[in-house]
Amino acid sequence: MQLNHYLNFQGNTEIAFNFYKSVFGGEFLNLMRYGDLPAEDGIQLSETDKQKIMHISLPINEFTTLMASDVNEQFCAQTNQPFTVGTNHYISINLASSEQDQAKQLFDALSKDGTIEMPLDKTFWGALYGAFTDQFGIKWMVNCQLENE
């Protein structure tokens, strides 16, 4: 299991991460834009929003990866969570495919009496993923990469 920091930005993720890359060095491990979403998701995005970052990750060292995405108005409306500087941070729990039971256990235990943003479920990027705010107001993500099926 690995715990990482997951940041949300309001349209300037790419600028921020190019800055972080200049400070920490290294190369981006993943970079996906909202325009990469599968068409069957039915999300209508402007050409500007399609260029925004859906997910980016920058390994800092062997133990830590800094990750982020741009939050758009449509996402905020769907999740009923407005973007607020200062609360735009998640703790991301990342597990291997062999740890699916642990992912479910951690998601259920940590989200108890909290607010589920996205139920733990399979995603188009090949992971078991869910997000929530715990009963103390801390935002969490659980991501368990699944083996290629």
Side-chain angles (χ1 to χ4, degrees), residues 57-125:
S57 60
L58 177 65
I60 303 300
N61 59 38
E62 64 181 300
F63 305 107
T64 306
T65 301
L66 188 61
M67 298 180 284
S69 63
D70 284 314
V71 176
N72 60 43
E73 290 179 29
Q74 193 172 12
F75 174 81
C76 291
Q78 285 176 342
T79 61
N80 198 27
Q81 304 224 355
F83 178 87
T84 306
V85 173
T87 62
N88 53 328
H89 177 266
Y90 287 81
I91 298 172
S92 178
I93 301 172
N94 297 280
L95 300 131
S97 61
S98 62
E99 300 173 301
Q100 291 178 46
D101 290 340
Q102 186 178 10
K104 291 174 187 173
Q105 178 187 13
L106 287 168
F107 184 91
D108 292 344
L110 287 167
S111 66
K112 184 177 185 291
D113 297 327
T115 304
I116 294 177
E117 184 178 314
M118 264 183 97
L120 190 66
D121 205 354
K122 289 184 180 179
T123 64
F124 71 88
W125 65 84

Side-chain angles (χ1 to χ4, degrees), residues 34 37-45 50 74 78 124:
Y34 281 103
L37 280 169
E40 66 267 9
D41 283 355
I43 298 173
Q44 300 296 319
L45 298 170
K50 287 180 182 179
Q74 193 172 12
Q78 285 176 342
F124 71 88

Side-chain angles (χ1 to χ4, degrees), residues 5-23:
H5 298 281
Y6 202 102
L7 310 174
N8 290 132
F9 294 90
Q10 201 166 24
N12 59 344
T13 298
E14 191 162 8
I15 293 167
F17 265 66
N18 280 322
F19 169 74
Y20 298 144
K21 183 178 170 184
S22 76
V23 173

Side-chain angles (χ1 to χ4, degrees), residues 42-59:
I43 298 173
Q44 300 296 319
L45 298 170
S46 68
E47 289 304 314
T48 301
D49 281 345
K50 287 180 182 179
Q51 293 305 308
K52 291 182 180 175
I53 303 296
M54 183 177 73
H55 177 75
I56 190 169
S57 60
L58 177 65

